[in-house]
Amino acid sequence: MKPYSAVLSAPGFSIGIRCSDDEITAIDYLEPQMEIAPKAPLAKEAVRQLRAWLKDPSFEFGLPLAPAGTHFQRRVWQQIAAIPAGRTKSYGEVAAAIRSGPRAVGNACGANPYPIVVPCHRVVGANQGLGGFARQRGGFLLDIKKWLLQHEHAGF
């Protein structure tokens, strides 16, 4: 796998960014680690936008994302991208909007290569439970989901 183009520190975790010259190819949640300064222009812009979001969760991203995922996953990610900061939708609500099932939506969320930018953390379980996150049901990544929702004032 290609090394990170940049690593950015966030409260309690780090964010790894991979990109080509023209597109973001992946964003990953990482255990806290030393930052890696971006060298390429797109990596610098990604870090700038992520820092802006960390300061203001209503910041809207404008990054070129490499095409990824299946047709179904892209439909789910499109629905997720439309959820505004500070709001959530349940897996069931997203599923109903695309005439699918909540489990399939959860699987598509787990396959999202661009978390934060495509805010899968805004999709929660029934009755406002956190549900899973990045295909995990607990631990470090679920703690990140909770922090992301609190950062966006989504009531968690």
Side-chain angles (χ1 to χ4, degrees):
M1 189 173 281
K2 182 179 173 183
Y4 288 109
S5 305
V7 173
L8 168 69
S9 293
F13 61 100
S14 292
I15 304 166
I17 303 160
R18 288 190 173 96
C19 63
S20 67
D21 290 339
D22 303 318
E23 298 171 314
I24 303 297
T25 57
I27 297 173
D28 297 313
Y29 296 118
L30 308 170
E31 295 282 345
Q33 59 186 264
M34 296 290 295
E35 289 196 358
I36 296 173
K39 293 179 179 48
L42 182 54
K44 287 179 184 177
E45 179 60 14
V47 167
R48 184 195 72 76
Q49 288 192 31
L50 285 162
R51 285 191 199 284
W53 179 85
L54 286 166
K55 287 182 182 161
D56 177 6
S58 65
F59 177 83
E60 293 190 25
F61 291 96
L63 294 170
L65 305 176
T70 66
H71 176 72
F72 174 77
Q73 289 169 334
R74 290 190 304 270
R75 286 177 52 220
V76 171
W77 300 337
Q78 184 177 31
Q79 288 290 316
I80 293 167
I83 303 170
R87 303 286 182 129
T88 60
K89 284 193 175 182
S90 72
Y91 294 97
E93 289 172 315
V94 174
I98 60 170
R99 296 189 176 139
S100 183
R103 186 171 303 228
V105 167
N107 286 334
C109 287
N112 175 9
Y114 311 114
I116 298 178
V117 176
V118 178
C120 53
H121 61 274
R122 295 179 189 156
V123 182
V124 298
N127 302 321
Q128 292 296 305
L130 282 178
F133 192 53
R135 297 189 170 137
Q136 302 293 314
R137 293 307 246 156
F140 174 70
L141 290 173
L142 204 57
D143 290 342
I144 291 173
K145 181 175 184 172
K146 189 180 295 181
W147 183 89
L148 295 168
L149 290 168
Q150 289 171 344
H151 176 64
E152 292 184 343
H153 310 290
F156 283 81

